[in-house]
Amino acid sequence: MTRRLTIILLALFLLPGVALAHGPSRQKHATKIAVDMTPEAVWQKVGNFDDLSWNPLVAKVEAQPGNAVGTVRTVTLKDGGTLVQELYKYDAAKMSYQLQMPQIDVKLLPVTNYSEFLTVKPLDGGKRAEIEIRSAYYRAYPNNDPPADQNDAAANAAVAAMQEKVVEGLAAHLASGS
């Protein structure tokens, strides 16, 4: 009986500490926008991994032409930063692709293990389109008690701000007929 009581007491004291020591959890963010174009017309503009002319944050892209899984593109941002992105999945029939950025300068984006889906879906029977950018990532600081600029809130705010700028710029680009 004493041994059982000792085990129960040890479990009660140790288990809360184990729960607090797990580290960061995966974060997610999605941004959607509807546009007055057919999904096929939108996909023609955004569906090529080597072309980010529609992205208002991008100055230039260096990549092999085409949409082969495993293709790597180097994206130079207008603010001077550089991102290296790998095409992880591509499905033209579903008008969707996924990229990964396993290495990121946390000064540009305070995250790690970033992956992103870009998907175009039909609305109103295919007369309009919905563009969705969905991301999953971890905060930049992998341990407990992260600094304020590398915590979950900072990661979520940075990803949300980036996605909002991208979809707003994309909508303006599509509306202008570029």
Side-chain angles (χ1 to χ4, degrees), residues 9 11 50 62-63 66 72 86 101-102 131 145 155 164 173:
L9 288 173
D50 60 328
E62 295 174 29
V72 174
E86 180 181 350
M101 292 190 290
I131 304 157
D145 302 320
E164 287 298 323
H173 178 82

Side-chain angles (χ1 to χ4, degrees), residues 40-53:
E40 295 78 16
V42 172
W43 185 247
Q44 286 293 318
K45 299 282 188 182
V46 301
N48 290 314
F49 188 69
D50 60 328
D51 179 12
L52 287 174
S53 59

Side-chain angles (χ1 to χ4, degrees), residues 69-115:
V69 170
T71 298
V72 174
R73 69 182 178 196
T74 301
V75 179
T76 303
L77 303 172
K78 288 181 180 174
D79 69 5
T82 301
L83 301 171
V84 176
Q85 303 173 332
E86 180 181 350
L87 185 58
Y88 186 70
K89 293 181 182 177
Y90 187 88
D91 190 333
K94 291 183 180 178
M95 293 184 271
S96 178
Y97 68 78
Q98 179 185 5
L99 64 87
Q100 294 184 327
M101 292 190 290
Q103 301 292 322
I104 302 170
D105 180 351
V106 298
K107 292 176 186 131
L108 292 175
L109 195 61
V111 302
T112 61
N113 296 316
Y114 182 91
S115 64

Side-chain angles (χ1 to χ4, degrees), residues 5-176:
L5 182 60
T6 303
I7 291 172
I8 291 171
L9 288 173
L10 278 172
L12 288 173
F13 287 110
L14 294 177
L15 287 178
V18 170
L20 293 173
H22 70 79
S25 55
R26 194 139 175 90
Q27 303 294 304
K28 296 178 181 178
H29 185 79
T31 304
K32 297 178 183 180
I33 192 165
V35 295
D36 292 326
M37 292 177 70
T38 66
E40 295 78 16
V42 172
W43 185 247
Q44 286 293 318
K45 299 282 188 182
V46 301
N48 290 314
F49 188 69
D50 60 328
D51 179 12
L52 287 174
S53 59
W54 52 269
N55 189 321
L57 303 177
V58 173
K60 75 175 184 174
V61 176
E62 295 174 29
Q64 294 295 319
N67 297 308
V69 170
T71 298
V72 174
R73 69 182 178 196
T74 301
V75 179
T76 303
L77 303 172
K78 288 181 180 174
D79 69 5
T82 301
L83 301 171
V84 176
Q85 303 173 332
E86 180 181 350
L87 185 58
Y88 186 70
K89 293 181 182 177
Y90 187 88
D91 190 333
K94 291 183 180 178
M95 293 184 271
S96 178
Y97 68 78
Q98 179 185 5
L99 64 87
Q100 294 184 327
M101 292 190 290
Q103 301 292 322
I104 302 170
D105 180 351
V106 298
K107 292 176 186 131
L108 292 175
L109 195 61
V111 302
T112 61
N113 296 316
Y114 182 91
S115 64
E116 178 178 287
F117 283 91
L118 184 142
T119 306
V120 180
K121 297 177 183 176
L123 292 175
D124 302 329
K127 295 175 186 170
R128 299 175 65 230
E130 176 184 78
I131 304 157
E132 179 182 36
I133 299 175
R134 204 168 18 108
S135 301
Y137 48 91
Y138 289 92
R139 68 178 182 229
Y141 191 82
N143 300 319
N144 291 328
D145 302 320
D149 64 337
Q150 294 182 20
N151 64 19
D152 288 343
N156 292 333
V159 170
M162 175 188 67
Q163 284 184 8
E164 287 298 323
K165 288 177 188 172
V166 169
V167 295
E168 287 171 7
L170 173 56
H173 178 82
L174 294 172
S176 73

